[in-house]
Amino acid sequence: MTVTLSARALLLDMDGTLVDSTPVVNRIWSEWAVDHDVDVEDVLHRAHGRQGHDVMAEFLPDRPQEENVRENDLMLAREVAETEGIVEIPGAAEFLASLAGLPHALVTSANEPLAAGRMAAAGLSVPSTAVMADDVAVSKPDPEGFLKAAGILGVDPADCIVFEDSRAGITAARAAGMRVIGVGDAAAFEPDHVVPDLTAVAVTPTPDGVEVTVRS
């Protein structure tokens, strides 16, 4: 089925949407779960698309948050350094190239070094407008990042389309009042539309913004 949507701006998640970093994320978080004697599968289920210290706080509620932040900083340093196995989501490079000159932004729970490293490892360029972990007070599933990106672009949230893969990201986009195209195995999180990857997306400029055609 093919659907065509109109928008004034597109907001893009990174991990799982533009970049496949699953091997690195799963390896590092699995080690963390074993070290802290918590369920590995539960940790992996909750960790994707979120800031690490928030995930740690859920599993270690009695631990001071400053310790979560400290350990998360160490994990981030590992994630920046470990890029083996990171590749683009199919169609990501062509998709980003089609957005040149059009209103769009990256909205990610990664910080700037991690986002730059993973995008480079996948052979992709970071969009000139980006809202990252250090740019918000509260990360996904809070809508702050998406709302901030819409504000920077000067676009009403209702006129934005978000590309996301995770439960946290889709929840954040919906809370921001935005439409969502889920990428990959995102159907369970109830986005408006789902595509297997970015080869199923075409973007066309319009006088008022963009037209997005998706093949589900």
Side-chain angles (χ1 to χ4, degrees):
M1 182 177 68
T2 300
V3 176
T4 299
L5 309 168
S6 295
R8 291 191 57 213
L10 304 183
L11 307 182
L12 321 172
D13 175 50
M14 183 182 70
D15 290 306
T17 300
L18 298 173
V19 171
D20 183 0
S21 58
T22 303
V24 175
V25 173
N26 285 358
R27 180 170 63 251
I28 291 176
W29 277 104
S30 293
E31 292 176 8
W32 183 88
V34 171
D35 288 344
H36 293 280
D37 196 27
V38 293
D39 184 77
V40 172
E41 291 303 317
D42 196 12
V43 169
L44 296 181
H45 178 71
R46 299 197 213 180
H48 286 278
R50 301 176 60 197
Q51 290 193 38
H53 55 77
D54 290 335
V55 178
M56 293 173 185
E58 291 182 3
F59 287 95
L60 305 173
D62 297 327
R63 191 167 78 163
Q65 183 66 353
E66 56 267 24
E67 190 170 343
N68 294 331
V69 171
R70 181 193 60 78
E71 187 173 26
N72 184 59
D73 287 343
L74 296 175
M75 288 179 67
L76 281 173
R78 279 192 62 191
E79 291 187 82
V80 171
E82 296 183 23
T83 59
E84 183 178 355
I86 291 178
V87 295
E88 68 165 308
I89 294 293
E94 185 176 353
F95 174 67
L96 285 172
S98 74
L99 298 183
L102 300 177
H104 68 287
L106 184 72
V107 182
T108 175
S109 295
N111 63 11
E112 193 279 332
L114 183 59
R118 285 188 174 168
M119 291 287 279
L124 305 174
S125 297
V126 177
S128 58
T129 300
V131 176
M132 303 186 188
D134 295 334
D135 298 318
V136 296
V138 188
S139 189
K140 303 171 186 176
D142 191 275
E144 181 184 353
F146 288 121
L147 293 173
K148 184 167 186 175
I152 293 170
L153 295 172
V155 176
D156 188 275
D159 291 327
C160 295
I161 293 177
V162 172
F163 286 79
E164 263 285 2
D165 74 300
S166 70
R167 180 187 301 275
I170 290 171
T171 299
R174 287 206 172 280
M178 299 173 179
R179 292 164 289 167
V180 190
I181 295 175
V183 179
D185 298 325
F189 311 138
E190 300 183 347
D192 296 286
H193 305 280
V194 182
V195 293
D197 55 47
L198 295 173
T199 64
V201 180
V203 177
T204 306
T206 68
D208 297 323
V210 298
E211 194 171 77
V212 180
T213 301
V214 298
R215 301 185 306 279
S216 57

